[in-house]
Amino acid sequence: MEHAAHYDALAGTFTDHWAYSRAFVAWMTTALLDRLQPHADAALADVGSGPGLYAAALAERAQLAHPIDCVEPSPAMRAELPTTVTPVAATAEHIATGPEATYDGLWVKEALHHVPHDERPAVLAGLFRRLRPGGRMLLVTWPRRVEHPLFPAAHEHLARVADRLPPGNLADELDQLGGQVTLTYDSFLVTMPTERWIDMVRARYLSLLARFTDDELAEGIAHIRRDHPETTVAFRDRYAFITARR
């Protein structure tokens, strides 16, 4: 419920926060396409899609014949989805219990941490079963340490969450399901005005910032200002990409 309230509140500005820039959206879309390699007639699902930023970009780039299923539990987020995709009111847990062999490809981008830790193996297995033969599942997550200009308590919390989702462990879990697994890392240099970055932090654009109170966040932002008095911030946004082919 905490996550649902967070995303409902953020829905209207989510794309502005997460897009960073057109160059970043293009870069991430390419990263997804290179690993999913969908054919024009592919059936795809974006699990934990939010407002469908990457589903829309990917569908346009790949010139897909069928709309992408955007699996999103937040009604406010689904209301932001473009008309070119198919909204699916569900969680990853729900989709994992569906019929087998439905998709040629599906991806979970920075949403796996919302799945309860003890349910994750069953969810991954269920999602993998949703793939048709030759289909690909892609998990996009963070390495343990990120370079975002945050405050110490936020970095510590992100590290604790990342410790529960080590990319190597996720790759091993998918390997045990019988998938042909690859683990790769890539990053994008993000540059933006410092005040825009602070506005994003204040809006808790990362769901992991939702645990901090307004006072704690204000203290954190003061720390960011002290560490980054310059008018522009720049950092490497790093990702782990785990691909499993059925």
Side-chain angles (χ1 to χ4, degrees), residues 8 10 24 46 69 110 116 134 143 157 168 180 183 209 226 235:
D8 284 345
L10 197 59
F24 177 82
D46 180 358
D69 281 357
E110 296 176 87
H157 179 55
Q180 301 175 35
L183 168 59
L209 293 173
R226 289 194 299 272
F235 60 95

Side-chain angles (χ1 to χ4, degrees), residues 54-74:
Y54 295 105
L58 190 151
E60 181 178 358
R61 286 269 298 275
Q63 298 185 327
L64 299 176
H66 309 291
I68 294 173
D69 281 357
C70 283
V71 180
E72 174 54 52
S74 164

